[in-house]
Amino acid sequence: MTRSAKLKQSLLIGALTSSFGVFVSKLIGLLYYSPLSSFAGEANMSFYSIAYTYYDLLLKISSAGLPFAIASMVARYYAREDYKTVLLVKKLGTSLVMTLSFVVALVFVIFISPIAKQSMGGAAALPSDVENLKIVFYILVIAVIFVPFLSAMRGYYQGLKRLDLYASSQVLEQFVRVFCILFFGFLLVKVFSMDGIYAIYAAMAAAAIGAIVAIIFFIKETRDDDKHVRELAEKCENESALKKDILIEMLSLGIPYIVISFLGSASALVNTTFFMSTAASAGIDGEFAKLSLGILQANCNKLSSIPQVLTLGFSSGLVPYLTESFEKQDIRKLSKQISQIIDTVMFILVPVIFIFIFFAKDIYFIMYGNRNLDLGADLFRVSNLVAFTDTFAPILSSIMITLRMRKETIGILGLSFLAKFLSFFPLVTLFGPYGMIYSTIICSIVAIVLYLIVMVKHFDLNLKTNLRRFGKIAISSLIMIVPGAAVRILANYLGFEYSSRIIDIGVMGVCGIVMILVYYLVTVYFKLPQVIFEIPRPSIKNLLRKFRS
């Protein structure tokens, strides 16, 4: 594909390209989770889930929204053919991210001890658990220094619409990370017979190694692109914008994103920080609470993150295209793009959620075996409702931010966080670990409803059309489940009931093929692919050609 062709990708294809890269990286990520759980032990997986909640939050603060700001500004100045400013944005943006990541890492190190103690249950925490978590935190600090810089590089090429590089770097980063987790986890625990916690240490260190390899990949693969932009800049007669103005613009985009990132991560942060202590106050057994937290935030979240690739994919893919439409004040095109994003996400997300809910026990068994199967399957089944709301809400949030509605976004996220915080403690007291899930659903629903209300007001969205298509998608998904459930019932009748992973994979494979075919036929009957993907003749061949293009 030529450079000009890459820069002319449609919003949908660009977003799906990003989603595909995230999907492949998540798929690779699934490969390590069962072995890691085996190396470390399920009890130690709670350390991993707690650490990654803070890791995710620290990355967002370290980046300060600058990758998003870089992508948005590069897209805008490139569209204006102001190539000198494009280079200036890259230089200042990456410098700011590197500086901020060091500062955030240093501050976190200072507060590691009290955070570790509170996360493990406060006064009820075992000293050994606190020490283990502190070591995990110290290791993740290394990744906090390198990963934001990688994000800044991705933001720059995202702004140039090089979403193929964006996706490729994600796959490479995840591949290296998973290889390191499996290799060092096996070496430390199985070969040298060290405690399972060392597998968690290796898993955290692998994040930094993956980022370093991806950075080297970017440096190598983008030489021609950098040379091309520099040549355009040399031919550009206009002077670049002033550094002061670029810094102000970048920070005006980035600083609100810190608040937005914190509020967006607040749900997981509340779960991680307060669940153990709230469970203890409610009289829930400490070991059961620790096990449930590990299963929910590690095992279940890993599986539920598969549909959530749409969040990262569309969030990254929509920025340059919506920015371009917004710059031209083409409200009709913006409305159409937003509607297309909503329809596409629902078309892909809803059937996946239906499958995950109805076949939760099969999926959990295939990934994690019979260990705590009933508890894990129940938690996973309910958590898929969160997978739906937590996929849709951040996409709407990204649209709002891209369209310069940051104050509204902060206000909405603030209200949704308040709903989470107020509902968390009574729901955990009443329903135990399920209360975490219910309070998160409430939080996301509040955000989704308010986002849609604001968008209808500002961009003249016709949500009635989207709701009708959503209804058809839900009906198609429900019909799709029927033959799959029949295959599962037949397998149970013949005695193939959670006794062998290989057999269950075969059963689910047959179910999957049947369900996908049924979903395709029913949605074609409802003319959904024809309208959403603009395919006049919706054969499987044409659908594949549309995605492949």
Side-chain angles (χ1 to χ4, degrees):
M1 184 183 291
T2 64
R3 180 179 287 104
S4 60
K6 289 171 181 172
L7 295 179
K8 293 179 180 178
Q9 296 177 89
S10 69
L11 179 147
L12 180 58
I13 296 300
L16 290 175
T17 300
S18 300
S19 294
F20 180 74
V22 183
F23 175 77
V24 173
S25 66
K26 291 289 185 182
L27 191 62
I28 294 172
L30 285 176
L31 298 177
Y32 80 83
Y33 218 76
S34 184
L36 176 62
S37 180
S38 176
F39 297 154
E42 284 196 325
N44 284 328
M45 292 304 290
S46 60
F47 297 111
Y48 185 80
S49 65
I50 291 170
Y52 251 82
T53 299
Y54 281 96
Y55 172 64
D56 181 61
L57 178 63
L58 290 172
L59 289 185
K60 291 177 179 177
I61 296 175
S62 299
S63 302
L66 292 175
F68 167 83
I70 291 169
S72 180
M73 293 172 68
V74 166
R76 181 162 65 255
Y77 287 112
Y78 197 97
R80 296 176 182 176
E81 299 184 354
D82 188 352
Y83 306 113
K84 290 182 179 179
T85 301
V86 168
L87 293 176
L88 181 59
V89 169
K90 179 185 179 183
K91 180 181 178 180
L92 292 178
T94 52
S95 298
L96 277 175
V97 168
M98 290 177 65
T99 302
L100 188 58
S101 63
F102 275 103
V103 173
V104 169
L106 180 61
V107 172
F108 182 68
V109 166
I110 295 173
F111 291 98
I112 276 180
S113 292
I115 292 174
K117 185 175 181 179
Q118 175 61 36
S119 297
M120 295 313 301
L126 296 175
S128 59
D129 287 345
V130 175
E131 287 303 312
N132 285 336
L133 186 57
K134 284 169 63 176
I135 295 172
V136 175
F137 279 156
Y138 282 121
I139 296 172
L140 75 81
V141 166
I142 301 172
V144 170
I145 294 173
F146 286 101
V147 175
F149 178 68
L150 175 61
S151 299
M153 296 181 72
R154 284 180 177 148
Y156 174 72
Y157 294 102
Q158 176 189 344
L160 295 178
K161 301 182 183 178
R162 286 301 310 271
L163 299 178
D164 54 334
L165 284 175
Y166 189 101
S168 299
S169 69
Q170 289 173 320
V171 174
L172 176 63
E173 179 191 11
Q174 186 72 317
F175 178 82
V176 173
R177 177 169 165 263
V178 169
F179 174 81
C180 291
I181 289 173
L182 297 180
F183 177 77
F184 290 110
F186 178 82
L187 186 67
L188 294 172
V189 178
K190 299 299 183 181
V191 177
F192 294 114
S193 301
M194 300 174 77
D195 188 85
I197 191 64
Y198 283 89
I200 302 298
Y201 299 158
M204 296 308 305
I209 298 172
I212 293 170
V213 173
I215 290 170
I216 295 172
F217 164 81
F218 257 116
I219 294 173
K220 181 180 177 181
E221 294 296 322
T222 57
R223 289 173 181 171
D224 291 341
D225 296 271
D226 293 341
K227 181 180 178 181
H228 177 70
V229 176
R230 285 195 300 269
E231 289 174 350
L232 291 174
E234 290 173 359
K235 296 176 183 178
C236 186
E237 296 181 358
N238 297 329
E239 293 295 323
S240 67
L242 297 175
K243 288 184 180 181
K244 178 182 177 181
D245 295 335
I246 293 299
L247 280 173
I248 292 174
E249 183 179 1
M250 194 174 292
L251 292 174
S252 68
L253 286 170
I255 289 177
Y257 198 86
I258 297 179
V259 181
I260 292 169
S261 296
F262 174 78
L263 293 174
S265 303
S267 182
L269 192 63
V270 169
N271 291 344
T272 298
T273 306
F274 297 108
F275 174 69
M276 292 294 292
S277 57
T278 305
S281 299
I284 299 173
D285 179 72
E287 288 301 315
F288 173 76
K290 185 178 176 182
L291 176 63
S292 298
L293 181 64
I295 289 175
L296 183 59
Q297 297 214 144
N299 296 5
C300 295
N301 281 5
K302 197 67 181 177
L303 292 170
S304 299
S305 69
I306 297 175
Q308 291 174 359
V309 300
L310 289 171
T311 299
L312 295 174
F314 274 85
S315 296
S316 60
L318 62 83
V319 170
Y321 300 98
L322 291 183
T323 298
E324 184 177 344
S325 299
F326 185 80
E327 283 294 309
K328 296 178 180 177
Q329 284 297 295
D330 191 342
I331 302 301
R332 178 177 295 181
K333 186 175 181 180
L334 272 176
S335 178
K336 181 180 178 180
Q337 288 173 330
I338 295 171
S339 180
Q340 188 180 33
I341 290 169
I342 293 173
D343 286 340
T344 304
V345 170
M346 293 298 105
F347 186 85
I348 301 172
L349 178 62
V350 172
V352 173
I353 296 299
F354 268 70
I355 291 172
F356 278 23
I357 289 174
F358 280 90
F359 297 97
K361 195 168 186 177
D362 293 271
I363 296 171
Y364 195 90
F365 171 70
I366 289 171
M367 288 303 303
Y368 306 113
N370 281 312
R371 288 174 299 170
N372 302 296
L373 177 59
D374 290 333
L375 175 62
D378 286 342
L379 287 171
F380 176 50
R381 183 177 291 109
V382 179
S383 69
N384 279 295
L385 299 174
V386 176
F388 177 82
T389 57
D390 273 15
T391 299
F392 194 42
I395 291 174
L396 298 180
S397 175
S398 294
I399 293 173
M400 296 274 290
I401 297 168
T402 302
L403 301 180
R404 314 281 182 84
M405 304 180 73
R406 292 181 291 278
K407 291 182 180 179
E408 293 88 343
T409 305
I410 291 173
I412 290 172
L413 287 174
L415 291 174
S416 67
F417 170 72
L418 183 62
K420 166 70 181 182
F421 193 79
L422 292 178
S423 63
F424 174 82
F425 299 99
L427 288 176
V428 169
T429 301
L430 290 172
F431 302 105
Y434 297 93
M436 287 192 290
I437 303 173
Y438 301 146
S439 63
T440 301
I441 293 171
I442 292 172
C443 169
S444 295
I445 288 176
V446 169
I448 290 170
V449 171
L450 294 177
Y451 283 140
L452 292 175
I453 290 173
V454 173
M455 287 188 199
V456 168
K457 179 180 178 181
H458 285 83
F459 302 109
D460 196 27
L461 289 180
N462 185 8
L463 289 182
K464 291 182 180 179
T465 302
N466 295 109
L467 286 173
R468 284 196 296 268
R469 290 173 186 160
F470 173 78
K472 292 178 181 179
I473 290 170
I475 293 171
S476 302
S477 301
L478 191 59
I479 295 173
M480 168 196 72
I481 291 296
V482 175
V487 173
R488 176 71 262 184
I489 292 171
L490 177 62
N492 291 349
Y493 178 77
L494 296 174
F496 302 135
E497 186 176 7
Y498 313 113
S499 57
S500 168
R501 289 186 181 182
I502 295 176
I503 293 176
D504 212 355
I505 289 173
V507 171
M508 288 303 298
V510 173
C511 289
I513 293 172
V514 173
M515 289 187 294
I516 290 173
L517 181 60
V518 170
Y519 182 71
Y520 165 74
L521 293 174
V522 176
T523 55
V524 168
Y525 173 78
F526 285 131
K527 298 182 179 180
L528 292 171
Q530 296 95 311
V531 175
I532 296 174
F533 301 108
E534 299 176 348
I535 303 175
R537 297 179 180 178
S539 66
I540 293 178
K541 183 178 179 180
N542 288 339
L543 273 172
L544 291 175
R545 184 184 295 115
K546 181 74 173 179
F547 283 102
R548 189 168 60 245
S549 65

